[in-house]
Amino acid sequence: MQPSISISRLRAALNGRVITPADTGYDHARTVFYGGFDQRRPAAIIRVADPSDVTRVVELAGETGLELAVRSGGHSVAGHSVADGGIVLDLADMKALAIDPERRTAWAEAGLTAGEYTTATAAYGLATGFGDTSSVGIGGITLGGGVGYLVRKYGLTIDNLLAADIVTADGLLRRVDATTHPDLFWALRGGGGNFGVATRFQFRLHEVDTIVGGMLILPATPAIIHSFIAEAEAAPDELSTIANIMPAPPMPFLPKEHHGRLVVMAMLVYAGATKAGERAIAPFRALATPLADMVRPMRYPEIYPPDEEDYHPVAVGRTLFVDSIDRGAAETIVARLQASSAPMAVAQLRVLGGAVARVPVAATAFAHRARRIMVNVAAVYARPDEAALHTAWADDFAQSLHQGDLAGYVNFLGDEGAARVRAAYPGATWERLRAIKARYDPTNLFRLNQNIPPAIGDPQQ
Ligand SMILES: Cc1cc2nc3c(=O)[nH]c(=O)nc-3n(C[C@H](O)[C@H](O)[C@H](O)COP(=O)(O)OP(=O)(O)OC[C@H]3O[C@@H](n4cnc5c(N)ncnc54)[C@H](O)[C@@H]3O)c2cc1C
């Protein structure tokens, strides 16, 4: 028998909104950031208003057995934030934010986006680091790790997570921190959505007011790519960089002859004094005559330009870690990008180290702290019948850059199967996560995610 839910009973029991296929706004409500998931039709999208709603929805999922998608910002690369025939628990209406400028902490509900949080804390000259995109939800990015513009100076987002409120599979709302449920707190810092629904997070804030940052566009030759990464590794921790190697979009400030040619479209953020920032960025400007140079002193939130509302790209990506980008690797990157037939193909290089590497590997469920560079390759394409072609391209490209292992960052994994999830959690991390999962979610209620199966009856446990 098909499991069913009584929508009228559900509406009466909740403070938030229930959106069903019969309601106007259903199509908008089931839309997620990435295109390609439009065929998924949830039985209900529940825009929860408070933790008691979250508890009711978690109980409902348990009772009905319906698949539960948990959504904060809806940017899941794997399409995990929309369930076909199941329930979507959407936290986007939960956006309360309490900033304590004296203590430099903030309690933030999980429905906030990185941009909303950053704009609000900037009123106090304070920030917590998230990623490179304003509309990404703090829910998903935090639970997976969080690699952004302050990563080398202040670490991952989870390195600034002090506590969280989470509704576990038994429906209980729990406060977790370093002393209360420390095992669960460890698992939340990198283990993704496997352990419950986080309703709010307490973050540490840092003084980040004026930064030197913005976009620097350079020609993408192998020599420049290689030198860019060498400079990024040699730079002080205050400087975090993201180098996107891709065909230049037809941006009005770029000379026409460069449109469509491979460029290094780099984003740089120096979180420190302006003069020192200019000094740190000088070597990047000296790599070649920049095609565009928009790096300047700015207030930190300006690094997040407004996102396009109706942009829903269809894309395939692969993520990996490497320890160097030598000339050979840089040549591979240029050749593979040139070989792609996708309208947009990109290789993204993020130099890590700094504060990330100073946290012990076993301290959190994100265990790639010794890795020096994160690489993401992606193709954005328009025709669904080309999916296999671009997927093969991304697989081959990632394979050609691999340096010994298949490790990847969980937040950039697509729907790539169990072996890739396993590879996101190296060493003892995997077994520890499985044991904690067995304790807090033994029936795997939270399974529409990069899933960590509970270690039930596992002889290893
Ligand atoms: C354009 C773009 C740019 C990105 N840039 C970066 C970047 O710079 N750095 C980086 O580290 N990552 C980046 N990411 C990856 C991003 O961190 C993940 O996609 C993340 O999961 C998105 O979070 P979300 O809340 O928006 O997504 P959602 O789709 O809402 O959630 C993704 C998954 O996280 C879990 N989840 C979300 N919220 C909760 C919650 N409150 N409680 C429990 N589980 C929850 C669920 O399992 C869910 O399936 C980017 C992604 C995109 C699409």
Side-chain angles (χ1 to χ4, degrees):
M1 203 178 83
Q2 188 74 356
S4 65
I5 46 181
S6 159
I7 299 296
S8 53
R9 279 231 313 274
L10 190 58
R11 283 203 169 107
L14 293 172
N15 299 314
R17 295 185 279 158
V18 181
I19 304 164
T20 71
D23 296 309
T24 42
Y26 172 74
D27 283 333
H28 183 70
R30 71 187 174 89
T31 304
V32 289
F33 173 79
Y34 277 109
F37 302 108
D38 326 1
Q39 75 289 2
R40 297 193 191 169
R41 299 182 62 82
I45 297 139
I46 304 175
R47 302 270 301 222
V48 290
D50 52 36
S52 70
D53 278 1
V54 174
T55 291
R56 286 195 184 93
V57 178
V58 167
E59 285 169 353
L60 177 77
E63 284 156 18
T64 60
L66 285 169
E67 192 168 47
L68 177 66
V70 179
R71 180 192 302 174
S72 289
H75 280 56
S76 164
V77 177
H80 287 150
S81 35
V82 58
D84 194 23
I87 306 168
V88 176
L89 188 166
D90 188 340
L91 292 123
D93 290 338
M94 288 181 59
K95 289 186 190 288
L97 177 60
I99 301 165
D100 185 337
E102 303 295 311
R103 292 206 172 114
R104 297 204 177 158
T105 60
W107 272 107
E109 281 191 328
L112 287 160
T113 64
E116 289 164 345
Y117 177 100
T118 303
T119 303
T121 59
Y124 302 90
L126 300 171
T128 305
F130 294 100
D132 65 1
T133 299
S134 167
S135 56
V136 164
I138 66 166
I141 193 169
T142 301
L143 295 170
V147 181
Y149 291 129
L150 304 178
V151 71
R152 282 162 54 84
K153 177 70 176 157
Y154 297 119
L156 303 167
T157 305
I158 49 169
D159 299 334
N160 299 288
L161 184 67
L162 301 170
D165 285 350
I166 173 168
V167 175
T168 42
D170 52 12
L172 290 180
L173 175 65
R174 301 171 194 262
R175 168 72 44 87
V176 300
D177 59 27
T179 52
T180 319
H181 301 294
D183 52 348
L184 190 49
F185 186 53
W186 174 87
L188 287 188
R189 288 174 291 160
N194 276 283
F195 301 93
V197 182
T199 59
R200 61 176 196 156
F201 302 100
Q202 188 188 35
F203 293 111
R204 187 181 296 118
L205 288 160
H206 300 277
E207 208 174 311
V208 183
D209 198 7
T210 300
I211 57 154
V212 184
M215 191 189 287
L216 181 70
I217 305 186
L218 301 167
T221 65
I224 291 173
I225 295 167
H226 166 69
S227 303
F228 186 101
I229 297 305
E231 293 296 351
E233 290 203 87
D237 289 355
E238 280 75 10
L239 187 69
S240 295
T241 61
I242 301 178
N244 294 300
I245 301 140
M246 58 191 277
M251 296 186 289
F253 52 81
L254 264 187
K256 266 214 171 78
E257 65 268 26
H258 292 288
H259 294 178
R261 285 213 199 144
L262 278 192
V263 292
V264 179
M265 198 144 88
M267 294 298 296
L268 297 95
V269 168
Y270 184 92
T274 301
K275 265 197 180 156
E278 296 288 355
R279 269 201 307 277
I281 284 161
F284 296 87
R285 289 176 159 142
L287 290 175
T289 305
L291 305 174
D293 183 351
M294 287 171 284
V295 181
R296 60 181 170 83
M298 60 170 74
R299 305 278 329 282
Y300 180 57
E302 287 180 58
I303 202 69
Y304 288 137
D307 293 315
E308 282 172 56
E309 263 266 323
D310 289 321
Y311 180 58
H312 298 292
V314 178
V316 56
R318 292 292 180 259
T319 184
L320 64 150
F321 292 100
V322 297
D323 293 317
S324 65
I325 294 288
D326 60 15
R327 270 297 287 266
E331 278 163 18
T332 301
I333 289 170
V334 169
R336 296 280 174 162
L337 290 172
Q338 282 169 341
S340 168
S341 60
M344 221 272 278
V346 59
Q348 182 183 75
L349 310 176
R350 301 184 186 216
V351 169
L352 303 173
V356 180
R358 286 193 288 273
V359 174
V361 168
T364 66
F366 177 101
H368 306 291
R369 293 181 182 275
R371 303 315 296 264
R372 284 164 60 186
I373 303 162
M374 178 162 78
V375 182
N376 301 308
V377 302
V380 180
Y381 57 96
R383 293 180 41 183
D385 60 321
E386 289 187 350
L389 175 75
H390 300 302
T391 302
W393 172 86
D395 278 333
D396 287 350
F397 192 176
Q399 205 57 49
S400 69
L401 294 173
H402 270 135
Q403 294 173 356
D405 68 32
L406 294 170
Y409 170 43
V410 73
N411 267 349
F412 280 124
L413 281 186
D415 193 358
E416 298 172 42
R420 292 293 291 146
V421 183
R422 172 75 187 79
Y425 299 109
T429 313
W430 179 249
E431 277 71 34
R432 189 169 172 195
L433 281 168
R434 289 196 64 201
I436 297 169
K437 175 82 172 176
R439 202 167 321 137
Y440 292 99
D441 185 16
T443 65
N444 208 2
L445 179 79
F446 301 106
R447 60 184 176 276
L448 186 59
N449 46 36
Q450 301 296 357
N451 197 239
I452 297 163
I456 305 280
D458 187 329
Q460 287 179 348
Q461 293 304 312

